Amino acid sequence: IAAHEDYHAILEVSAVALDRARAIDTQLKAGKKLGRLAGIPYIAKDNFLTAHTHTTASSNILKPFKAPYQSTVIERLEAEGAIMVAKANLDAFAHGSSTENSDFGPTKNPADPTRVPGGSSGGSATAVALGLTCFALGTDTGGSIRQPAAFTGVVGLKPTYGLVSRYGVIAMGSSVDVIGPLANRVNDAALVLDVTSGKDIHDATTIERDPQAYAGGKPQTLKGKKIGLIKEYMGEGTEAAVKASVEDAAQRLAKAGAKVEEVSLPSVDLALACYYVLIPAELSSNLARHDGIRYGHSSKQAQSLAQTYLLSRDEGFGDEAKRRIMIGTYVLSSGYYDAYYKKAQKVRTLLIREFALAFKKYDFLLSPTAPTTAFKLGEKNQDPLSMYMSDVDTVAVNMVGAAGISIPAPVKGLPIGIQLIAPQHGDRALLGAAKALEELLA
Ligand code: GLN
């Protein structure tokens, strides 16, 4: 980690990691039964609450914050002997696609340090790509695990909504947020899902996990599987190299016996607009708790209660958080609620129906993870709309609560991700198919 500081993937190294490792060594020598991940180091995105480090969400407003409890996911990993060694950089509050919205400076892409690693889990993806860790935890509200995985050439899994507890993870859009792993191999991601998934008494949205393991087993045969290649994600704005990689993956799948054909999901063109109404609405509400009183940054200039709220938030939030709070408050305001928020909810229902219809016919859907390869640092961060466009292939999966994974394509230049999508609760089938596709792309 120290040798790779230039990439700025890491915000803080855990001071207790080595002690934990020594404790596991002692247990090992004593012949004790060890957990499934005993001694495996991992890195958590800095929006997971952790006991022995700060938890900042890469925002100045949480810079001084130390969590009084740990997230369920961290507890479950530690119970199996995994060791959190560091916290990773992100776009502040997970708002972004490049890590340039981090209040502590951007992360650089290991494939080309003049380029962004994607976001918002860009620090997590970079940490895995650099080999700083076996796996990293990310969160995905509109693509924040899959898109940085694609930009850095690692595997990124977005499980079904509700499969992994979000207790103790800083909320962005509560109706879509999910937690998932970034790793070098599909099976590593599956193993992390095995340890972290399932019901949690602290998160009412959690669902039962599959009774069978996600990891291990033989790669699923793709023979006879029906795969729909999403037409709308191969159109305008998609780089030629990205298109070629997805077409190549489709051919390899067909050669392995899958039936691949083009499918049209006409409403996915509306998904991005729908996302950028609903998610700002949700996050403006979630961020209301940062009042400068209970925790985090509190303005030294404030002379009254009202000033404490106003100045602490003004000083603590960055531009992107402020932009989204304003959009969210606007679309929820009484005069505009029907025109924006309610309408976007209707579009969301349309998307859910369209995906459900597609999954009646297809086992999986296939697409690029992002329309382009990693862009240059500074290229898009002055133009929010062009930045938002880099999520055009990922947000619909979140809006419908489905499962998705990004697998690296076999390319020589900048990394490209292939996205495979399964219906809700299809995580085990998705991982089986992803293992097979990973071998086909090797
Ligand atoms: N890049 C998207 C956004 O800016 C998605 C972020 C995320 O998934 N956390 O909202």
Side-chain angles (χ1 to χ4, degrees):
I1 288 172
H4 292 89
E5 257 169 18
D6 285 355
Y7 290 93
H8 198 235
I10 302 304
L11 295 179
E12 187 175 350
V13 173
S14 165
V16 300
L18 283 174
D19 288 342
R20 292 214 54 222
R22 283 189 202 104
I24 286 172
D25 273 348
T26 310
Q27 289 173 355
L28 192 64
K29 282 196 196 105
K32 291 234 172 76
K33 191 174 178 291
L34 296 173
R36 281 180 286 177
L37 297 178
I40 304 284
Y42 73 97
I43 289 173
K45 188 175 180 178
D46 203 22
N47 55 356
F48 287 74
L49 271 53
T50 47
H52 304 287
T53 63
H54 289 84
T55 298
T56 68
S58 286
S59 171
N60 279 326
I61 208 164
L62 282 177
K63 201 172 174 185
F65 180 60
K66 279 199 159 164
Y69 64 96
Q70 298 212 96
S71 7
T72 294
V73 165
I74 302 282
E75 292 285 344
R76 288 185 179 177
L77 286 165
E78 308 268 313
E80 289 290 345
I83 302 170
M84 195 200 75
V85 294
K87 301 295 286 288
N89 197 13
L90 63 148
D91 289 291
F93 287 108
H95 307 160
S97 316
S98 69
T99 73
E100 291 167 296
N101 292 336
S102 167
D103 286 349
F104 310 138
T107 299
K108 294 174 184 167
N109 191 323
D112 174 354
T114 67
R115 291 174 189 272
V116 304
S120 62
S121 312
S124 300
T126 299
V128 174
L130 288 171
L132 307 186
T133 177
C134 299
F135 71 91
L137 295 174
T139 56
D140 194 313
T141 304
S144 276
I145 290 173
R146 290 159 289 156
Q147 186 257 22
F151 277 16
T152 56
V154 303
V155 171
L157 171 68
K158 176 238 177 271
T160 293
Y161 179 73
L163 188 56
V164 182
S165 166
R166 299 172 297 174
Y167 179 67
V169 177
I170 295 171
M172 181 176 164
S174 303
S175 78
V176 283
D177 289 346
V178 291
I179 286 161
L182 297 102
N184 290 301
R185 298 296 305 258
V186 173
N187 199 54
D188 292 351
L191 187 53
V192 177
L193 190 64
D194 268 328
V195 171
T196 55
S197 59
K199 276 211 171 274
D200 176 15
I201 186 174
H202 297 302
D203 179 352
T205 63
T206 48
I207 56 172
E208 291 294 350
R209 51 153 300 161
D210 200 289
Q212 281 176 277
Y214 297 106
K218 285 185 262 141
Q220 187 179 313
T221 170
L222 292 164
K223 206 167 272 166
K225 292 283 175 236
K226 294 207 184 92
I227 300 176
L229 172 56
I230 304 174
K231 178 174 159 232
E232 285 75 12
Y233 291 165
M234 295 289 273
E236 201 193 326
T238 305
E239 266 175 24
V242 171
K243 245 179 108 166
S245 279
V246 177
E247 277 159 2
D248 169 65
Q251 275 167 17
R252 292 178 197 227
L253 286 163
K255 240 185 169 170
K259 202 166 166 264
V260 190
E261 60 185 39
E262 205 175 73
V263 58
S264 174
L265 298 171
S267 299
V268 296
D269 285 342
L270 304 172
L272 198 65
C274 171
Y275 174 90
Y276 276 102
V277 171
L278 295 182
I279 301 310
E282 292 186 21
L283 73 84
S284 69
S285 167
N286 273 325
L287 292 179
R289 70 191 66 174
H290 301 281
D291 55 9
I293 292 173
R294 285 172 287 187
Y295 45 76
H297 171 73
S298 188
S299 176
K300 303 266 178 301
Q301 320 303 323
Q303 306 284 337
S304 65
L305 180 63
Q307 278 189 359
T308 302
Y309 295 151
L310 294 172
L311 292 175
S312 301
R313 287 170 69 84
D314 186 37
E315 292 161 8
F317 284 131
D319 287 348
E320 186 62 22
K322 285 176 184 165
R323 177 181 294 120
R324 292 183 187 215
I325 290 168
M326 284 189 271
I327 295 172
T329 312
Y330 180 82
V331 300
L332 288 173
S333 59
S334 59
Y336 297 99
Y337 182 90
D338 284 351
Y340 294 105
Y341 185 78
K342 205 167 158 196
K343 194 163 188 180
Q345 290 288 22
K346 288 180 180 170
V347 173
R348 185 172 184 179
T349 301
L350 214 61
L351 285 165
I352 291 169
R353 287 199 193 133
E354 241 168 56
F355 271 81
L357 209 63
F359 282 124
K360 277 205 170 130
K361 197 161 170 207
Y362 301 103
D363 299 291
F364 307 104
L365 298 172
L366 177 74
S367 80
T369 306
T372 68
T373 51
F375 42 90
K376 291 267 187 193
L377 284 152
E379 189 181 323
K380 298 191 178 182
N381 63 351
Q382 296 309 318
D383 179 2
L385 280 184
S386 84
M387 184 71 86
Y388 295 172
M389 286 303 284
S390 55
D391 302 308
V392 71
D393 299 336
T394 45
V395 291
V397 178
N398 298 78
M399 300 318 294
V400 307
I405 190 166
S406 181
I407 303 169
V411 285
K412 291 232 163 54
L414 290 170
I416 289 171
I418 308 293
Q419 179 172 235
L420 205 57
I421 305 163
Q424 282 196 330
H425 313 293
D427 302 75
R428 215 170 77 81
L430 178 72
L431 286 160
K435 283 177 212 163
L437 178 58
E438 176 179 57
E439 280 185 10
L440 293 174
L441 296 175

